[in-house]
Amino acid sequence: MVITLIGYRGTGKSSVGTQLAARLNYDLVDTDREIEKQAGKSIARIFAEDGESRFRDLEREELLRQLALDKIVISAGGGAILDPISRQAMQDAGPVVWLQASVETIVERLRNDESTESSRPSLTGDDIFNEVATVLAQREADYAEPASIIINTDQRDFSSIVDEIISQLSTGGAETW
């Protein structure tokens, strides 16, 4: 089974993914980190030097490669859901967990993350609060489409989020995946 974590950056995908993979004895893949390793540069540099379109191609290729594996938790990049092929492949591979958080929580987490400026490109050129609000609104339907489990991460510790995911997997018919 493949479990894919989706959601805007700062919703907890990497942290939740680490704990979820450990609890399930699965491997964890963070697609953004894999893309950076393969490209030899940060996502921000890929955006600046090669453009968003090229990054999205790399993102789709990496995601499809990982979705073909088994016993893996994938922390998908925040924009991975923009591609309809990727959304369908996520659904086909197993449960898709949409981690949500309020704009305020996301902005606070991004501001407290030292890697935000160096590795995460601005998507709109707007201030961080307006950017998060705008992009979240634009992507909401794309996040909702493949999601089989939706969990709000506001003011929650990652362990309780992992407990909830495991509970929903076991009661939600994960054996169908």
Side-chain angles (χ1 to χ4, degrees):
M1 177 170 59
V2 175
I3 301 168
T4 306
L5 303 177
I6 62 172
Y8 196 78
R9 55 187 171 194
T11 57
K13 296 183 305 286
S14 295
S15 298
V16 169
T18 300
Q19 290 188 26
L20 180 62
R23 290 264 304 272
L24 296 173
N25 200 27
Y26 279 23
D27 290 326
L28 171 69
V29 172
D30 182 316
T31 57
D32 282 350
R33 300 298 75 81
E34 290 300 314
I35 293 165
E36 287 178 330
K37 275 195 258 182
Q38 290 172 19
K41 52 188 165 184
S42 70
I43 292 169
R45 276 192 53 210
I46 296 170
F47 265 68
E49 295 173 5
D50 307 318
E52 182 176 0
S53 172
R54 176 65 183 141
F55 172 75
R56 296 298 174 201
D57 289 343
L58 294 170
E59 183 174 54
R60 180 181 54 253
E61 292 166 13
E62 181 60 30
L63 187 60
L64 293 175
R65 184 174 20 263
Q66 298 302 331
L67 288 168
L69 302 175
D70 190 29
K71 292 192 172 189
I72 188 168
V73 174
I74 298 173
S75 173
I81 46 77
L82 296 173
D83 181 74
I85 293 169
S86 296
R87 289 194 306 270
Q88 185 61 55
M90 287 179 210
Q91 286 180 298
D92 293 344
V96 179
V97 181
W98 178 13
L99 299 180
Q100 298 178 325
S102 68
V103 173
E104 293 79 11
T105 296
I106 292 169
V107 168
E108 179 181 335
R109 289 176 182 168
L110 292 177
R111 284 186 174 146
N112 291 328
D113 181 351
E114 294 175 3
S115 71
T116 294
E117 275 190 46
S118 63
S119 68
R120 297 177 174 172
S122 173
L123 300 172
T124 65
D126 209 346
D127 71 82
I128 190 167
F129 189 90
N130 288 329
E131 177 171 304
V132 171
T134 299
V135 176
L136 272 177
Q138 291 170 346
R139 293 181 178 176
E140 186 171 1
D142 290 331
Y143 283 127
E145 182 185 321
S148 48
I149 297 172
I150 301 171
I151 297 178
N152 187 291
T153 66
D154 283 332
Q155 300 179 18
R156 294 186 60 192
D157 64 87
F158 296 127
S159 180
S160 73
I161 295 166
V162 170
D163 289 343
E164 184 176 344
I165 292 169
I166 290 172
S167 174
Q168 289 197 37
L169 289 172
S170 63
T171 61
E175 64 278 353
T176 62
W177 283 290

